Amino acid sequence: MTDVLITAVELADLLKSEPCVVIDTRNPDAYAAGHLPNAVNVHEIFTFLATSTPEGMAELKTKFADAFGGAGLSGKETAVIYEQSMNSGFGQSCRGYYLLTMLGYPKIKVLHGGFDAWSGAGFPVTKDVPAPAKASFGIVPEAGEILIDAKTMLGAVGKPGIAILDVRDVDEWIGDSSSPYGKDYCPRKGRIPGAVWLEWYRMMKPTGEGPRFKSKDEILAECATVGISTTTPVYLYCFKGARASNTFLALKNAGVKDVRMYFGSWNEWSRDPSLPIEQGLPIASEVTTKAA
């Protein structure tokens, strides 16, 4: 499998050798202050909150097919997506990678290290805003199998063999906070029952230039700590599919074959009182059982 991640140096070469559409996922102010030459700003890659009703999933696909087509992606170009750095935008460049993969786009790269890596290497930055020619963006329906809904996630609860993987920050996992946007942003705190936990930061490690993804073997070693191998079906979730997209990229890049995401994630699950949750500290019941 070719690596989805591309370094700033590799990208500089790629831009000279083949047609690319570069997509900046940062907020409009950061984009306006300076961006990669010819980069198109599509901040909704990060902000859009999806629901997993049939209508919501259809809207997600249509919305982003239009947005990516508007940025100039026709299927012939390599899509290159970036954020500020790998840990500053909750995995938002990876969310772009997930959305493009879910729509069936054939050629996708994520700039490893983001804008910081590009500017830090001394490559040109501009404030010029391009006017891309709108392209026809085709959706490949079967690619959407990596997008699962609440009903599918509920069907996986208690099912041996499927790993439900929660990658949220520790305060969300232990039920102290309902979201990255405030402790009480959602009506319920906790976890999807039976989920295992790998905080999304664990897919990366610090370097002198900022966080970078771990090697493929290191990612598989992290997965092994919660019983996930390359053949384990993995159903990911976070709060709204950004941090889980970071993990999605890491797992797919490392060779985990069947990785899907519940894109509605905790933002949707916690708002439906009919869906079961686990609350309290994840270790509480285990300790009680041992004491008894």
Side-chain angles (χ1 to χ4, degrees), residues 2-177:
T2 56
D3 205 314
V4 175
L5 299 166
I6 188 168
T7 67
V9 172
E10 290 167 341
L11 177 56
D13 289 339
L14 187 72
L15 292 172
K16 292 175 197 159
S17 62
E18 63 177 82
C20 296
V21 171
V22 181
I23 295 174
D24 184 316
T25 63
R26 300 173 303 157
N27 70 52
D29 290 345
Y31 175 78
H35 48 263
L36 271 67
N38 296 312
V40 183
N41 189 213
V42 189
H43 187 47
E44 284 180 324
I45 284 171
F46 177 59
T47 57
F48 187 78
L49 291 174
T51 56
S52 67
T53 60
E55 300 78 15
M57 290 166 93
E59 183 195 0
L60 178 72
K61 292 178 181 179
T62 306
K63 180 178 188 63
F64 284 102
D66 288 349
F68 290 132
L73 287 171
S74 70
K76 298 184 183 78
E77 308 81 13
T78 297
V80 180
I81 312 168
Y82 72 89
E83 57 188 284
Q84 187 71 32
S85 65
M86 297 323 290
N87 70 340
S88 62
F90 292 105
Q92 68 192 62
S93 58
C94 304
R95 198 180 200 238
Y97 162 70
Y98 175 80
L99 288 167
L100 282 163
T101 304
M102 181 269 296
L103 293 168
Y105 198 77
K107 295 187 281 189
I108 316 161
K109 296 286 184 188
V110 169
L111 175 57
H112 202 186
F115 179 82
D116 288 354
W118 178 268
S119 57
F123 290 118
V125 170
T126 183
K127 292 183 181 178
D128 295 343
V129 177
K134 187 171 172 57
S136 173
F137 186 101
I139 296 174
V140 180
E142 54 270 28
E145 290 174 1
I146 62 168
L147 176 69
I148 60 174
D149 59 11
K151 184 180 175 186
T152 305
M153 189 57 121
L154 181 61
V157 171
K159 203 170 189 177
I162 295 177
I164 297 174
L165 181 57
D166 185 323
V167 303
R168 296 174 299 161
D169 291 23
V170 65
D171 60 342
E172 295 162 84
W173 169 249
I174 65 173
D176 182 48
S177 176

Side-chain angles (χ1 to χ4, degrees), residues 238-289:
C238 59
F239 177 72
K240 66 173 186 184
R243 291 169 291 179
S245 293
N246 178 288
T247 305
F248 177 85
L249 186 156
L251 266 54
K252 291 302 289 181
N253 229 20
V256 181
K257 294 178 184 67
D258 184 3
V259 188
R260 305 176 196 217
M261 196 198 309
Y262 170 43
F263 204 68
S265 282
W266 192 252
N267 180 57
E268 179 180 62
W269 189 275
S270 64
R271 296 180 194 281
D272 183 345
S274 73
L275 294 171
I277 64 170
E278 279 176 5
Q279 291 177 291
L281 286 174
I283 55 170
S285 58
E286 187 184 321
V287 172
T288 309
T289 307

